[in-house]
Amino acid sequence: MITSHIYCGITMDKFTVLSMFITFVTSNDVLKFIPHDKSTQNTKPIQWTPPGFCNGLDCPPFIVGNETDEYQERFYAQSTWVSTELLGIDYDKAQYKMFMKLFKYIEGGNKKKMKIAMTCPVTTRIIPGQGAACKSNFTMSFFIAGKVKNPPGPSEDDVRLRPQPALHVYVRSFGGYVHHFDEWREEAEKLIAALEKDGREFEREYYYTAGYNAPFQLFNRHNEIWFIAK
Ligand SMILES: *[C@@H]1O[C@H](CO)[C@@H](O)[C@H](O)[C@H]1NC(C)=O
Ligand SMILES: *[C@@H]1O[C@H](CO)[C@@H](O)[C@H](O)[C@H]1NC(C)=O
């Protein structure tokens, strides 16, 4: 399809891309005029400077542990996410459905009809082959920035707000467009091999894909695979 666009491996139509573009641009603090306010200067005890790959969007704070050419160990603080779950065979189709549900939530499809700025990454936890007929259990999540003090309850039953306890993860980063699930799986296999080589203990039952970019961003795209450290 020539008119379709890809986001985090999700193919979508022009209208969706346009509304996402608006959400991303209005979410992007770099593009906004931020008045200097001395009174707020000492309110944050820890200064978190998001890495460049967060593109000026809010993303969850982490501390880097061990690093190799193949992966980075990260310690994420506890945080809040909005999630939806789906049992399915096809990752790409599942991504599209789940993305639309979460996107609707931040676009005001919630109990307070509140618009919430887009953040990154968009993560999907994959538990392979858990359901009948080898269906995988997918959970997609959007990070809720700490500055959103009382995130509104979702208006759909299959969307939920979820506290995420602190995470200890091994992360493999790679660039470019991810067009098919096979590309994510190949990166996951590379990460498994690197972790095994170094004798790292990690949770093998599931892993995460993490996408950081909107479809209209052509360059400097950033994607990650996460395994939970044990
Ligand atoms: C880095 O790896 C070494 C060797 O496996 C380990 O002893 C150390 O605790 C790790 N550092 C962190 C911050 O986890
Ligand atoms: C997906 O996996 C989670 C964690 O194991 C579980 O709580 C949930 O019930 C599963 N969802 C479905 C639809 O099986």
Side-chain angles (χ1 to χ4, degrees):
M1 251 198 313
I2 291 155
T3 57
S4 69
H5 300 255
I6 308 273
Y7 178 67
C8 305
I10 309 164
T11 308
M12 47 185 58
D13 60 46
K14 270 187 180 158
F15 176 76
T16 306
V17 172
L18 181 65
S19 68
M20 279 177 60
F21 179 77
I22 292 162
T23 301
F24 269 90
V25 168
T26 55
S27 297
N28 194 324
D29 282 341
V30 174
L31 301 177
K32 276 190 243 166
F33 171 63
I34 304 165
H36 187 67
D37 182 0
K38 283 203 166 99
S39 66
T40 61
Q41 265 181 0
N42 292 317
T43 55
K44 275 189 192 165
I46 300 163
Q47 277 303 326
W48 156 248
T49 308
F53 57 73
C54 291
N55 288 306
L57 300 179
D58 283 308
C59 55
F62 61 84
I63 292 166
V64 177
N66 279 310
E67 264 185 297
T68 75
D69 287 345
E70 298 289 319
Y71 60 88
Q72 183 177 61
E73 180 183 28
R74 290 186 194 160
F75 299 89
Y76 280 95
Q78 63 180 65
S79 51
T80 302
W81 297 68
V82 60
S83 298
T84 189
E85 202 181 279
L86 200 144
L87 272 186
I89 291 181
D90 187 326
Y91 171 87
D92 300 305
K93 278 185 191 150
Q95 286 284 93
Y96 182 76
K97 273 194 190 157
M98 294 187 294
F99 187 90
M100 286 305 135
K101 279 191 186 291
L102 298 180
F103 190 61
K104 214 165 119 188
Y105 170 85
I106 66 165
E107 282 288 275
N110 55 59
K111 293 257 162 72
K112 294 183 196 160
K113 296 196 170 21
M114 180 178 152
K115 275 208 162 212
I116 298 170
M118 189 66 202
T119 60
C120 62
V122 174
T123 64
T124 301
R125 183 187 65 182
I126 305 169
I127 311 177
Q130 198 196 37
C134 267
K135 283 185 176 165
S136 293
N137 176 327
F138 299 112
T139 307
M140 183 182 277
S141 305
F142 286 9
F143 168 61
I144 305 286
K147 68 188 178 197
V148 181
K149 285 305 169 208
N150 293 299
S155 33
E156 290 189 62
D157 290 344
D158 53 358
V159 174
R160 66 195 172 95
L161 274 177
R162 166 177 86 71
Q164 171 63 58
L167 274 179
H168 178 193
V169 287
Y170 292 115
V171 178
R172 177 180 173 85
S173 300
F174 59 102
Y177 273 98
V178 183
H179 294 285
H180 296 293
F181 178 62
D182 288 350
E183 296 164 49
W184 288 112
R185 198 169 46 208
E186 278 166 25
E187 297 294 336
E189 280 161 10
K190 286 181 194 163
L191 180 50
I192 290 172
L195 295 174
E196 283 177 344
K197 185 170 140 277
D198 292 354
R200 304 282 181 205
E201 297 283 336
F202 60 99
E203 181 58 66
R204 288 167 180 272
E205 302 299 310
Y206 59 92
Y207 61 100
Y208 294 80
T209 62
Y212 284 79
N213 311 102
F216 44 83
Q217 184 177 333
L218 298 182
F219 303 107
N220 297 320
R221 297 181 65 82
H222 184 87
N223 319 290
E224 294 171 350
I225 294 283
W226 297 3
F227 276 92
I228 303 292
K230 271 201 210 169

PDB file of all heavy atoms in Angstrom, residues 49-74:
ATOM      1  N   THR A  49      17.598  14.170  32.563  1.00  0.00           N
ATOM      2  CA  THR A  49      17.739  14.679  31.209  1.00  0.00           C
ATOM      3  C   THR A  49      17.461  13.519  30.258  1.00  0.00           C
ATOM      4  O   THR A  49      18.252  12.583  30.178  1.00  0.00           O
ATOM      5  CB  THR A  49      19.160  15.207  30.973  1.00  0.00           C
ATOM      6  OG1 THR A  49      19.466  16.131  32.014  1.00  0.00           O
ATOM      7  CG2 THR A  49      19.276  15.903  29.627  1.00  0.00           C
ATOM      8  N   PRO A  50      16.312  13.552  29.589  1.00  0.00           N
ATOM      9  CA  PRO A  50      15.978  12.429  28.715  1.00  0.00           C
ATOM     10  C   PRO A  50      17.001  12.288  27.600  1.00  0.00           C
ATOM     11  O   PRO A  50      17.521  13.287  27.096  1.00  0.00           O
ATOM     12  CB  PRO A  50      14.609  12.817  28.149  1.00  0.00           C
ATOM     13  CG  PRO A  50      14.074  13.861  29.058  1.00  0.00           C
ATOM     14  CD  PRO A  50      15.278  14.593  29.584  1.00  0.00           C
ATOM     15  N   PRO A  51      17.324  11.060  27.225  1.00  0.00           N
ATOM     16  CA  PRO A  51      18.263  10.856  26.124  1.00  0.00           C
ATOM     17  C   PRO A  51      17.709  11.407  24.817  1.00  0.00           C
ATOM     18  O   PRO A  51      16.487  11.560  24.675  1.00  0.00           O
ATOM     19  CB  PRO A  51      18.412   9.337  26.052  1.00  0.00           C
ATOM     20  CG  PRO A  51      17.298   8.762  26.850  1.00  0.00           C
ATOM     21  CD  PRO A  51      16.822   9.811  27.794  1.00  0.00           C
ATOM     22  N   GLY A  52      18.599  11.698  23.866  1.00  0.00           N
ATOM     23  CA  GLY A  52      18.194  12.279  22.591  1.00  0.00           C
ATOM     24  C   GLY A  52      17.158  11.461  21.853  1.00  0.00           C
ATOM     25  O   GLY A  52      16.288  12.017  21.168  1.00  0.00           O
ATOM     26  N   PHE A  53      17.198  10.135  22.022  1.00  0.00           N
ATOM     27  CA  PHE A  53      16.250   9.300  21.274  1.00  0.00           C
ATOM     28  C   PHE A  53      14.814   9.437  21.761  1.00  0.00           C
ATOM     29  O   PHE A  53      13.905   8.922  21.139  1.00  0.00           O
ATOM     30  CB  PHE A  53      16.718   7.834  21.207  1.00  0.00           C
ATOM     31  CG  PHE A  53      16.965   7.161  22.530  1.00  0.00           C
ATOM     32  CD1 PHE A  53      15.904   6.797  23.346  1.00  0.00           C
ATOM     33  CD2 PHE A  53      18.256   6.859  22.942  1.00  0.00           C
ATOM     34  CE1 PHE A  53      16.120   6.154  24.553  1.00  0.00           C
ATOM     35  CE2 PHE A  53      18.491   6.213  24.158  1.00  0.00           C
ATOM     36  CZ  PHE A  53      17.424   5.870  24.965  1.00  0.00           C
ATOM     37  N   CYS A  54      14.601  10.151  22.881  1.00  0.00           N
ATOM     38  CA  CYS A  54      13.220  10.428  23.310  1.00  0.00           C
ATOM     39  C   CYS A  54      12.632  11.612  22.525  1.00  0.00           C
ATOM     40  O   CYS A  54      11.443  11.930  22.667  1.00  0.00           O
ATOM     41  CB  CYS A  54      13.147  10.694  24.809  1.00  0.00           C
ATOM     42  SG  CYS A  54      13.473   9.215  25.794  1.00  0.00           S
ATOM     43  N   ASN A  55      13.448  12.271  21.717  1.00  0.00           N
ATOM     44  CA  ASN A  55      12.955  13.302  20.790  1.00  0.00           C
ATOM     45  C   ASN A  55      12.214  14.445  21.450  1.00  0.00           C
ATOM     46  O   ASN A  55      11.262  14.987  20.875  1.00  0.00           O
ATOM     47  CB  ASN A  55      12.016  12.668  19.759  1.00  0.00           C
ATOM     48  CG  ASN A  55      12.773  11.829  18.764  1.00  0.00           C
ATOM     49  OD1 ASN A  55      13.716  12.326  18.134  1.00  0.00           O
ATOM     50  ND2 ASN A  55      12.412  10.574  18.648  1.00  0.00           N
ATOM     51  N   GLY A  56      12.569  14.788  22.677  1.00  0.00           N
ATOM     52  CA  GLY A  56      11.891  15.897  23.341  1.00  0.00           C
ATOM     53  C   GLY A  56      10.546  15.516  23.941  1.00  0.00           C
ATOM     54  O   GLY A  56       9.879  16.344  24.542  1.00  0.00           O
ATOM     55  N   LEU A  57      10.140  14.253  23.810  1.00  0.00           N
ATOM     56  CA  LEU A  57       8.916  13.790  24.471  1.00  0.00           C
ATOM     57  C   LEU A  57       9.290  13.287  25.867  1.00  0.00           C
ATOM     58  O   LEU A  57      10.442  12.962  26.131  1.00  0.00           O
ATOM     59  CB  LEU A  57       8.280  12.633  23.691  1.00  0.00           C
ATOM     60  CG  LEU A  57       7.852  12.898  22.255  1.00  0.00           C
ATOM     61  CD1 LEU A  57       7.263  11.631  21.643  1.00  0.00           C
ATOM     62  CD2 LEU A  57       6.834  14.035  22.184  1.00  0.00           C
ATOM     63  N   ASP A  58       8.285  13.205  26.747  1.00  0.00           N
ATOM     64  CA  ASP A  58       8.555  12.617  28.055  1.00  0.00           C
ATOM     65  C   ASP A  58       8.782  11.125  27.886  1.00  0.00           C
ATOM     66  O   ASP A  58       8.052  10.459  27.149  1.00  0.00           O
ATOM     67  CB  ASP A  58       7.361  12.842  28.990  1.00  0.00           C
ATOM     68  CG  ASP A  58       7.327  14.264  29.508  1.00  0.00           C
ATOM     69  OD1 ASP A  58       8.358  14.722  30.026  1.00  0.00           O
ATOM     70  OD2 ASP A  58       6.277  14.917  29.369  1.00  0.00           O
ATOM     71  N   CYS A  59       9.786  10.612  28.591  1.00  0.00           N
ATOM     72  CA  CYS A  59      10.028   9.168  28.603  1.00  0.00           C
ATOM     73  C   CYS A  59      10.472   8.769  30.005  1.00  0.00           C
ATOM     74  O   CYS A  59      10.912   9.626  30.780  1.00  0.00           O
ATOM     75  CB  CYS A  59      11.031   8.759  27.528  1.00  0.00           C
ATOM     76  SG  CYS A  59      12.615   9.602  27.568  1.00  0.00           S
ATOM     77  N   PRO A  60      10.302   7.506  30.371  1.00  0.00           N
ATOM     78  CA  PRO A  60      10.556   7.119  31.767  1.00  0.00           C
ATOM     79  C   PRO A  60      12.040   7.200  32.139  1.00  0.00           C
ATOM     80  O   PRO A  60      12.885   6.755  31.370  1.00  0.00           O
ATOM     81  CB  PRO A  60      10.063   5.668  31.834  1.00  0.00           C
ATOM     82  CG  PRO A  60      10.026   5.193  30.431  1.00  0.00           C
ATOM     83  CD  PRO A  60       9.835   6.389  29.556  1.00  0.00           C
ATOM     84  N   PRO A  61      12.344   7.779  33.302  1.00  0.00           N
ATOM     85  CA  PRO A  61      13.733   7.941  33.734  1.00  0.00           C
ATOM     86  C   PRO A  61      14.398   6.602  34.049  1.00  0.00           C
ATOM     87  O   PRO A  61      13.754   5.700  34.583  1.00  0.00           O
ATOM     88  CB  PRO A  61      13.624   8.764  35.019  1.00  0.00           C
ATOM     89  CG  PRO A  61      12.235   9.260  35.080  1.00  0.00           C
ATOM     90  CD  PRO A  61      11.389   8.363  34.268  1.00  0.00           C
ATOM     91  N   PHE A  62      15.672   6.496  33.721  1.00  0.00           N
ATOM     92  CA  PHE A  62      16.414   5.281  34.064  1.00  0.00           C
ATOM     93  C   PHE A  62      17.871   5.620  34.360  1.00  0.00           C
ATOM     94  O   PHE A  62      18.370   6.681  33.985  1.00  0.00           O
ATOM     95  CB  PHE A  62      16.332   4.249  32.925  1.00  0.00           C
ATOM     96  CG  PHE A  62      16.913   4.710  31.609  1.00  0.00           C
ATOM     97  CD1 PHE A  62      18.282   4.603  31.355  1.00  0.00           C
ATOM     98  CD2 PHE A  62      16.096   5.254  30.618  1.00  0.00           C
ATOM     99  CE1 PHE A  62      18.816   5.017  30.138  1.00  0.00           C
ATOM    100  CE2 PHE A  62      16.623   5.674  29.397  1.00  0.00           C
ATOM    101  CZ  PHE A  62      17.987   5.568  29.161  1.00  0.00           C
ATOM    102  N   ILE A  63      18.521   4.677  35.017  1.00  0.00           N
ATOM    103  CA  ILE A  63      19.957   4.772  35.291  1.00  0.00           C
ATOM    104  C   ILE A  63      20.617   3.635  34.519  1.00  0.00           C
ATOM    105  O   ILE A  63      20.072   2.532  34.456  1.00  0.00           O
ATOM    106  CB  ILE A  63      20.219   4.633  36.806  1.00  0.00           C
ATOM    107  CG1 ILE A  63      19.665   5.856  37.539  1.00  0.00           C
ATOM    108  CG2 ILE A  63      21.702   4.442  37.107  1.00  0.00           C
ATOM    109  CD1 ILE A  63      19.572   5.675  39.037  1.00  0.00           C
ATOM    110  N   VAL A  64      21.762   3.911  33.925  1.00  0.00           N
ATOM    111  CA  VAL A  64      22.463   2.892  33.140  1.00  0.00           C
ATOM    112  C   VAL A  64      23.409   2.096  34.039  1.00  0.00           C
ATOM    113  O   VAL A  64      24.159   2.674  34.820  1.00  0.00           O
ATOM    114  CB  VAL A  64      23.245   3.538  31.980  1.00  0.00           C
ATOM    115  CG1 VAL A  64      24.042   2.492  31.211  1.00  0.00           C
ATOM    116  CG2 VAL A  64      22.296   4.281  31.044  1.00  0.00           C
ATOM    117  N   GLY A  65      23.333   0.778  33.917  1.00  0.00           N
ATOM    118  CA  GLY A  65      24.265  -0.107  34.633  1.00  0.00           C
ATOM    119  C   GLY A  65      25.391  -0.506  33.694  1.00  0.00           C
ATOM    120  O   GLY A  65      26.028   0.335  33.088  1.00  0.00           O
ATOM    121  N   ASN A  66      25.566  -1.815  33.527  1.00  0.00           N
ATOM    122  CA  ASN A  66      26.615  -2.299  32.625  1.00  0.00           C
ATOM    123  C   ASN A  66      26.245  -2.048  31.168  1.00  0.00           C
ATOM    124  O   ASN A  66      25.088  -2.142  30.780  1.00  0.00           O
ATOM    125  CB  ASN A  66      26.793  -3.811  32.817  1.00  0.00           C
ATOM    126  CG  ASN A  66      27.646  -4.111  34.031  1.00  0.00           C
ATOM    127  OD1 ASN A  66      28.719  -3.553  34.186  1.00  0.00           O
ATOM    128  ND2 ASN A  66      27.145  -4.982  34.891  1.00  0.00           N
ATOM    129  N   GLU A  67      27.281  -1.764  30.369  1.00  0.00           N
ATOM    130  CA  GLU A  67      27.060  -1.547  28.943  1.00  0.00           C
ATOM    131  C   GLU A  67      28.053  -2.350  28.132  1.00  0.00           C
ATOM    132  O   GLU A  67      29.234  -2.398  28.473  1.00  0.00           O
ATOM    133  CB  GLU A  67      27.278  -0.067  28.619  1.00  0.00           C
ATOM    134  CG  GLU A  67      26.013   0.730  28.593  1.00  0.00           C
ATOM    135  CD  GLU A  67      26.263   2.167  28.152  1.00  0.00           C
ATOM    136  OE1 GLU A  67      26.986   2.885  28.868  1.00  0.00           O
ATOM    137  OE2 GLU A  67      25.739   2.538  27.107  1.00  0.00           O
ATOM    138  N   THR A  68      27.590  -2.958  27.052  1.00  0.00           N
ATOM    139  CA  THR A  68      28.496  -3.608  26.101  1.00  0.00           C
ATOM    140  C   THR A  68      28.104  -3.083  24.714  1.00  0.00           C
ATOM    141  O   THR A  68      27.168  -2.287  24.595  1.00  0.00           O
ATOM    142  CB  THR A  68      28.353  -5.143  26.113  1.00  0.00           C
ATOM    143  OG1 THR A  68      27.139  -5.505  25.442  1.00  0.00           O
ATOM    144  CG2 THR A  68      28.329  -5.703  27.531  1.00  0.00           C
ATOM    145  N   ASP A  69      28.795  -3.553  23.678  1.00  0.00           N
ATOM    146  CA  ASP A  69      28.425  -3.156  22.314  1.00  0.00           C
ATOM    147  C   ASP A  69      27.051  -3.704  21.949  1.00  0.00           C
ATOM    148  O   ASP A  69      26.378  -3.194  21.057  1.00  0.00           O
ATOM    149  CB  ASP A  69      29.447  -3.700  21.308  1.00  0.00           C
ATOM    150  CG  ASP A  69      30.764  -2.936  21.403  1.00  0.00           C
ATOM    151  OD1 ASP A  69      30.768  -1.848  22.014  1.00  0.00           O
ATOM    152  OD2 ASP A  69      31.772  -3.438  20.872  1.00  0.00           O
ATOM    153  N   GLU A  70      26.649  -4.764  22.618  1.00  0.00           N
ATOM    154  CA  GLU A  70      25.412  -5.465  22.257  1.00  0.00           C
ATOM    155  C   GLU A  70      24.185  -5.001  23.045  1.00  0.00           C
ATOM    156  O   GLU A  70      23.065  -5.125  22.563  1.00  0.00           O
ATOM    157  CB  GLU A  70      25.582  -6.969  22.501  1.00  0.00           C
ATOM    158  CG  GLU A  70      26.671  -7.620  21.675  1.00  0.00           C
ATOM    159  CD  GLU A  70      26.271  -7.718  20.211  1.00  0.00           C
ATOM    160  OE1 GLU A  70      25.108  -8.044  19.940  1.00  0.00           O
ATOM    161  OE2 GLU A  70      27.133  -7.449  19.355  1.00  0.00           O
ATOM    162  N   TYR A  71      24.404  -4.546  24.271  1.00  0.00           N
ATOM    163  CA  TYR A  71      23.244  -4.188  25.098  1.00  0.00           C
ATOM    164  C   TYR A  71      23.621  -3.215  26.206  1.00  0.00           C
ATOM    165  O   TYR A  71      24.807  -2.975  26.472  1.00  0.00           O
ATOM    166  CB  TYR A  71      22.595  -5.442  25.710  1.00  0.00           C
ATOM    167  CG  TYR A  71      23.504  -6.244  26.611  1.00  0.00           C
ATOM    168  CD1 TYR A  71      23.610  -5.951  27.965  1.00  0.00           C
ATOM    169  CD2 TYR A  71      24.267  -7.290  26.106  1.00  0.00           C
ATOM    170  CE1 TYR A  71      24.456  -6.679  28.792  1.00  0.00           C
ATOM    171  CE2 TYR A  71      25.115  -8.023  26.922  1.00  0.00           C
ATOM    172  CZ  TYR A  71      25.205  -7.712  28.270  1.00  0.00           C
ATOM    173  OH  TYR A  71      26.041  -8.423  29.083  1.00  0.00           O
ATOM    174  N   GLN A  72      22.584  -2.688  26.825  1.00  0.00           N
ATOM    175  CA  GLN A  72      22.743  -1.767  27.951  1.00  0.00           C
ATOM    176  C   GLN A  72      21.841  -2.272  29.077  1.00  0.00           C
ATOM    177  O   GLN A  72      20.695  -2.640  28.822  1.00  0.00           O
ATOM    178  CB  GLN A  72      22.286  -0.377  27.503  1.00  0.00           C
ATOM    179  CG  GLN A  72      22.447   0.709  28.530  1.00  0.00           C
ATOM    180  CD  GLN A  72      22.030   2.076  27.979  1.00  0.00           C
ATOM    181  OE1 GLN A  72      20.872   2.264  27.597  1.00  0.00           O
ATOM    182  NE2 GLN A  72      22.958   3.007  27.937  1.00  0.00           N
ATOM    183  N   GLU A  73      22.381  -2.267  30.270  1.00  0.00           N
ATOM    184  CA  GLU A  73      21.567  -2.628  31.429  1.00  0.00           C
ATOM    185  C   GLU A  73      20.952  -1.341  31.968  1.00  0.00           C
ATOM    186  O   GLU A  73      21.656  -0.343  32.130  1.00  0.00           O
ATOM    187  CB  GLU A  73      22.483  -3.266  32.481  1.00  0.00           C
ATOM    188  CG  GLU A  73      21.793  -3.695  33.745  1.00  0.00           C
ATOM    189  CD  GLU A  73      22.801  -4.240  34.767  1.00  0.00           C
ATOM    190  OE1 GLU A  73      23.981  -3.829  34.753  1.00  0.00           O
ATOM    191  OE2 GLU A  73      22.391  -5.071  35.579  1.00  0.00           O
ATOM    192  N   ARG A  74      19.627  -1.355  32.223  1.00  0.00           N
ATOM    193  CA  ARG A  74      18.959  -0.140  32.732  1.00  0.00           C
ATOM    194  C   ARG A  74      18.144  -0.439  33.974  1.00  0.00           C
ATOM    195  O   ARG A  74      17.531  -1.504  34.076  1.00  0.00           O
ATOM    196  CB  ARG A  74      18.002   0.436  31.676  1.00  0.00           C
ATOM    197  CG  ARG A  74      18.695   1.043  30.507  1.00  0.00           C
ATOM    198  CD  ARG A  74      17.661   1.712  29.607  1.00  0.00           C
ATOM    199  NE  ARG A  74      18.249   2.023  28.321  1.00  0.00           N
ATOM    200  CZ  ARG A  74      17.564   2.250  27.220  1.00  0.00           C
ATOM    201  NH1 ARG A  74      16.222   2.192  27.253  1.00  0.00           N
ATOM    202  NH2 ARG A  74      18.172   2.532  26.098  1.00  0.00           N
TER     203      ARG A  74
END
